[in-house]
Amino acid sequence: RHIWQEYLEEADHLRHHKEVKTIYAKRKETIERVFADAKEKHGMRWTTLRGLKKLSMQAMLTFAAMNLKKMANWIWKGPEMA
């Protein structure tokens, strides 16, 4: 049994609660979508770079570019009212 198994079971149990299901369902629209876009559209599926410093720089530049694109879309379309 893993040292964190108790916490993993509790998280899995909480995920099935009625209030949490709506929040958990939005993950694929928000959080996971960002990483999928980074992999598919911005070449983060693999790299030719070596070293933590170079990879960190590539990741920071990629996510900065994604943030700039998101800001440009906000300016172009206007803020969405929630």
Side-chain angles (χ1 to χ4, degrees):
R1 195 162 157 88
H2 193 270
I3 190 170
W4 292 336
Q5 188 64 36
E6 191 176 321
Y7 297 110
L8 293 171
E9 290 169 357
E10 180 66 21
D12 190 49
H13 174 70
L14 288 174
R15 183 171 60 98
H16 297 291
H17 279 263
K18 185 178 174 183
E19 302 86 24
V20 179
K21 272 189 174 184
T22 57
I23 297 169
Y24 195 80
K26 291 184 179 185
R27 276 182 58 116
K28 62 184 170 199
E29 300 170 8
T30 55
I31 298 168
E32 293 175 12
R33 182 80 251 153
V34 172
F35 292 107
D37 285 344
K39 282 174 64 177
E40 291 298 317
K41 299 177 184 174
H42 298 283
M44 289 195 70
R45 188 173 291 275
W46 56 79
T47 183
T48 57
L49 301 174
R50 298 269 186 196
L52 182 60
K53 200 175 219 178
K54 290 179 183 176
L55 287 172
S56 296
M57 191 181 332
Q58 180 191 14
M60 284 188 276
L61 286 172
T62 300
F63 286 114
M66 291 174 70
N67 285 336
L68 286 172
K69 284 172 48 176
K70 190 184 290 187
M71 288 172 54
N73 281 330
W74 284 344
I75 291 169
W76 181 261
K77 295 178 184 177
E80 295 179 19
M81 300 306 271

